[in-house]
């Protein structure tokens, strides 16, 4: 057992509810929550703001990524992301970030740059981390790995509700489904650290589950893993 508890890795496709679920699981266990997607979003936001054209991102060096000024500081049970020292928690959720983040997440120098920071967040354990490659690459030694899946249309409905858009409008659902599945394909087929279920990850399908039910399902698995 690590000093502050086990590591729980939650991976899954866009809109499967990883971050909100990971945050609730962390709160119930009094663990820290690490939303790794937020870091890829912050690098994307910073590159867009600096005017670096997306066609150049693949050639970014580690020094150039470093110069983008993305930072994170523990705040309560989570991390506050900053760009150039300024809070970026809202700016990283903008639609243009959604549209470009998969391209940035495929850049080897970016993943390289983040890997050390993400790993060190888990040094003492007591962590719930969510993303695409947490159970496969970042914490292959996590005591509990969960892979969340959910039907694409239901993920689209949840994402629309989150954004305050009418989630019964079939045209909107169709558009959002296309955006989500486009990102899934990009994330699953890239060469480095693709979205994948670790062989030892427990599959949880949240399509028919209420939020509390999916949190409780993971908490039951966590209790078992904590007991060893
Ligand atoms: O919340 P949502 O599922 O839409 O996405 P996110 O978790 O905020 O992640 C945004 C993007 O970052 C994903 O589409 C991936 O391209 C990338 N990502 C990644 O490559 N590896 C991770 N461990 C986490 C996110």
């Amino acid at each position: 057992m690590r000093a502050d508890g086990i590591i729980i890795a939650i991976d899954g496709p866009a809109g499967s509810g990883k971050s909100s679920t990971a945050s609730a699981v962390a709160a119930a266990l009094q663990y820290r929550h690490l939303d790794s997607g937020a870091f890829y979003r912050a690098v994307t936001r910073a590159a867009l703001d600096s005017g670096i054209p997306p066609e150049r991102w693949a050639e970014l060096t580690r020094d150039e990524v470093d110069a983008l000024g993305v930072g994170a500081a523990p705040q309560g049970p989570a991390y506050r992301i900053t760009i150039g020292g300024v809070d970026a928690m809202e700016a990283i959720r903008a639609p243009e970030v959604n549209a470009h983040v998969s391209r940035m997440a495929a850049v080897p120098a970016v993943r390289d740059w983040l890997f050390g920071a993400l790993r060190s967040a888990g040094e003492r354990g007591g962590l719930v981390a969510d993303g695409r490659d947490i159970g496969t690459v970042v914490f292959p030694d996590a005591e509990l790995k969960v892979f969340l899946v959910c039907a694409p249309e239901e993920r689209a409905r949840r994402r629309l509700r989150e954004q305050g858009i009418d989630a019964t409008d079939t045209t909107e659902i169709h558009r959002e489904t296309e955006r989500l599945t486009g990102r899934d394909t990009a994330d699953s087929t890239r060469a480095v650290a693709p979205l994948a279920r670790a062989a030892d990850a427990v599959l949880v399908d949240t399509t028919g589950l209420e939020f509390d039910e999916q949190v409780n399902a993971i908490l039951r698995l966590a209790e078992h893993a904590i007991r060893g």
Side-chain angles (χ1 to χ4, degrees):
M1 180 76 143
R2 307 167 203 258
D4 294 343
I6 64 168
I7 291 182
I8 302 176
I10 304 183
D11 289 304
S16 56
K18 298 175 306 289
S19 290
S20 44
T21 306
S23 170
V25 168
L29 296 172
Q30 294 186 316
Y31 278 13
R32 193 177 291 283
H33 172 215
L34 178 70
D35 172 2
S36 66
F39 290 79
Y40 293 97
R41 288 173 174 277
V43 176
T44 307
R45 173 82 272 168
L48 290 169
D49 293 348
S50 317
I52 308 173
E55 305 76 58
R56 264 217 55 225
W57 292 356
E59 303 145 25
L60 285 175
T61 64
R62 269 189 70 127
D63 284 349
E64 285 174 314
V65 177
D66 203 41
L68 289 171
V70 171
Q75 186 181 49
Y79 289 85
R80 192 170 71 98
I81 310 270
T82 55
I83 299 173
V86 177
D87 187 291
M89 294 302 276
E90 243 178 70
I92 61 173
R93 305 280 158 202
E96 64 270 25
V97 176
N98 288 341
H100 287 93
V101 63
S102 288
R103 183 195 277 256
M104 187 58 95
V107 177
V110 170
R111 303 203 76 87
D112 217 43
W113 183 79
L114 270 176
F115 180 77
L118 297 176
R119 277 291 299 177
S120 65
E123 260 160 19
R124 297 180 56 84
L127 188 76
V128 185
D130 75 275
R132 301 292 186 288
D133 62 340
I134 303 300
T136 50
V137 176
V138 181
F139 295 120
D141 48 347
E143 285 80 3
L144 172 62
K145 299 179 188 175
V146 176
F147 196 76
L148 282 190
V149 294
C150 179
E153 287 76 17
E154 177 56 21
R155 290 193 271 137
R157 273 192 286 272
R158 291 178 188 173
R159 194 41 56 104
L160 291 173
R161 276 198 292 270
E162 239 170 57
Q163 295 168 353
I165 300 169
D166 181 5
T168 57
D169 181 329
T170 47
T171 314
E172 289 285 2
I173 294 174
H174 183 71
R175 269 202 218 123
E176 188 59 30
T177 305
E178 301 246 290
R179 280 194 285 264
L180 290 174
T181 50
R183 193 134 64 87
D184 291 349
T185 307
D187 290 341
S188 312
T189 54
R190 68 180 176 221
V192 278
L195 165 66
R197 176 184 171 188
D200 51 350
V202 181
L203 187 76
V204 176
D205 186 340
T206 72
T207 309
L209 295 182
E210 294 291 338
F211 183 70
D212 285 356
E213 292 176 317
Q214 74 197 44
V215 171
N216 287 333
I218 297 175
L219 281 174
R220 277 196 298 276
L221 294 168
E223 275 157 24
H224 188 76
I226 289 168
R227 277 200 306 271

